[in-house]
Amino acid sequence: MKIQYVCKDVPLSGAMQEALEGKLGRFDRYFRAWEEVDCTVTLCIHQDKKSLEVAITSTNGFALRAKVVDADFYAALDLVIEKLDGQMRKLKTQLDRAHKHGSFVDNLMMENIPSDDTLDLEIVRKKKLSLAPMDVDEALARMDALGHSFFIYLDSSTGMVNVLYERADHGYGLIEIDK
């Protein structure tokens, strides 16, 4: 696994880097030896707390991401690792229940990932949408009026389905579908 560090207003000490590499190194066992896996660690300071974000991606499109804000870097690191482990267990459990293995999953060492038997996934509601063409400003206004954290709409200029969502930093994000 290749680890890249992005530090914003925070120096990365040797002890911090050693702790990161030691804890993130255990994720190597989840991937096949020939699979290229990249990890980006972003460390920032927000007021008096440290923000630690870890994104793990492989060349075939598999991605994990976790972010934690804590006053202590090492506590944040432990929480990020816990979140990433939880995501791996959840993925394995979902795939085992669906009996589906394919694409990026074939590159994971599924036997090395512990299962999460407490996970109970059930669709409790289905909803149909009829998408009306609109621009991003109208979509944002409708999303705000509904009080939702995301909004799916048909872009009037491209004719493609887009997703507008509220980010954790209270900004907005836009997912545009590529043809």
Side-chain angles (χ1 to χ4, degrees), residues 51-147:
S51 168
L52 177 64
E53 180 178 343
V54 176
I56 299 173
T57 57
S58 67
T59 52
N60 61 0
F62 176 76
L64 292 175
R65 183 185 159 280
K67 181 178 181 179
V68 172
V69 177
D70 197 292
D72 180 46
F73 166 78
Y74 296 99
L77 176 57
D78 289 339
L79 290 171
V80 162
I81 296 300
E82 189 176 307
K83 282 185 174 185
L84 293 170
D85 276 336
Q87 290 175 18
M88 289 299 284
R89 284 192 310 275
K90 183 177 179 180
L91 173 68
K92 180 181 181 186
T93 302
Q94 288 173 336
L95 292 170
D96 284 346
R97 287 189 179 165
H99 304 294
K100 292 181 181 175
H101 293 276
S103 64
F104 71 86
V105 182
D106 289 336
N107 297 327
L108 294 177
M109 301 287 287
M110 296 298 283
E111 61 275 4
N112 291 341
I113 302 171
S115 293
D116 187 356
D117 295 331
T118 62
L119 188 64
D120 187 23
L121 300 174
E122 178 184 353
I123 296 174
V124 295
R125 183 175 181 200
K126 290 184 181 181
K127 194 171 187 178
K128 291 187 179 189
L129 298 175
S130 64
L131 301 176
M134 63 184 77
D135 63 14
V136 69
D137 293 329
E138 183 180 351
L140 185 58
R142 287 192 186 190
M143 181 177 87
D144 190 44
L146 290 170

